[in-house]
Amino acid sequence: MSDKTTAENANEPRLITETGLDQRVADIVEPVLVQMGYRLVRVRMSGQNGLTLQIMAERYDGTMTVEDCEEVSKAISPVLDVEDPIDKAYHLEVSSPGIDRPMVRRSDFVRWQGHLVKCETSVMVEGRKRFRGKIVSVDEEGFRLERDQPAYGEETVVAIPFTALSEARLILTDDLIRDALTADKKAKAARAANENFEDEDSDIE
């Protein structure tokens, strides 16, 4: 996994975005999240529990605690009430992306290089629209995937342009769980150290 953190990409746009009502909600909540130091991963409306609006978000360092979710929920709930994009009663659910997370930014592919991902494209790429394999490299235009089960006659490695991507998600493996937990621990330790440094600065003043 790359050590490069998402903090360097605070204003990085998403490769995969919503449409319709989900997009209207995303346009409302994203500025609020950015102002709070979070970034939007995904908005999805589902029929779960009647009607559920799921807002998936994370800090720039890739972490997202239960307390973070509560803080985001309290901030965006009144904004959604004012803007009122949904004309039915719904349940608001704020969550972290999870370990087997959706991949929505270029930095996600850089960060999780070497891990398994499954993805779909909106157009045919080398005769397919669905892929599964290991991310072996990433550049400005797209990423290269080493297929774990190539069909007879297919190239083992395929280049997938970001412009063709319609959905992508990490696949849960023991290696991914280990690396995700390590990265989360490092990010939280770095944040705690930074907060302590700021507290010491304020004491000096």
Side-chain angles (χ1 to χ4, degrees):
M1 186 188 67
S2 168
D3 286 334
K4 184 176 181 181
T5 67
T6 53
E8 297 170 316
N9 303 288
N11 299 315
E12 184 188 1
R14 290 182 297 153
L15 303 165
I16 300 168
T17 56
E18 296 76 15
T19 58
L21 179 58
D22 289 348
Q23 182 182 13
R24 285 177 59 200
V25 173
D27 290 343
I28 292 167
V29 302
E30 191 159 22
V32 180
L33 290 172
V34 170
Q35 193 173 12
M36 296 173 67
Y38 299 92
R39 63 182 188 174
L40 182 64
V41 175
R42 188 181 70 190
V43 170
R44 180 167 290 178
M45 183 71 75
S46 73
Q48 185 181 352
N49 298 331
L51 197 62
T52 298
L53 173 62
Q54 184 194 53
I55 309 288
M56 198 177 280
E58 64 184 350
R59 288 181 177 270
Y60 296 141
D61 61 9
T63 63
M64 192 70 175
T65 65
V66 173
E67 291 76 20
D68 290 334
C69 291
E70 290 172 355
E71 183 181 5
V72 168
S73 183
K74 286 176 184 175
I76 65 175
S77 187
V79 177
L80 287 169
D81 287 345
V82 171
E83 296 292 339
D84 200 22
I86 305 163
D87 59 2
K88 296 176 182 174
Y90 65 91
H91 170 68
L92 176 63
E93 177 186 288
V94 176
S95 69
S96 72
I99 294 176
D100 55 341
R101 56 168 301 136
M103 307 281 274
V104 298
R105 290 179 171 87
R106 178 184 174 277
S107 59
D108 293 337
F109 290 87
V110 173
R111 186 182 179 95
W112 298 108
Q113 193 168 307
H115 287 281
L116 288 174
V117 67
K118 56 182 177 183
C119 61
E120 292 188 27
T121 55
S122 54
V123 295
M124 289 287 217
V125 176
E126 294 191 14
R128 277 180 177 246
K129 282 190 171 184
R130 291 186 177 182
F131 300 87
R132 174 192 161 109
K134 183 171 69 175
I135 305 165
V136 291
S137 64
V138 185
D139 59 29
E140 293 300 323
E141 305 301 322
F143 62 100
R144 288 167 65 80
L145 194 75
E146 183 182 322
R147 305 185 226 221
D148 59 355
Q149 294 178 327
Y152 178 76
E154 285 186 331
E155 292 291 334
T156 304
V157 177
V158 58
I160 301 176
F162 287 134
T163 52
L165 206 58
S166 62
E167 190 171 349
R169 177 181 282 275
L170 284 171
I171 296 172
L172 205 59
T173 63
D174 289 343
D175 285 346
L176 177 62
I177 292 169
R178 183 196 66 231
D179 285 357
L181 292 176
T182 300
D184 189 66
K185 190 175 180 180
K186 281 183 180 176
K188 286 176 179 173
R191 195 191 324 155
N194 188 52
E195 286 170 357
N196 288 338
F197 180 75
E198 288 175 354
D199 287 344
E200 287 171 8
D201 266 4
S202 62
D203 288 342
I204 292 169
E205 290 172 7

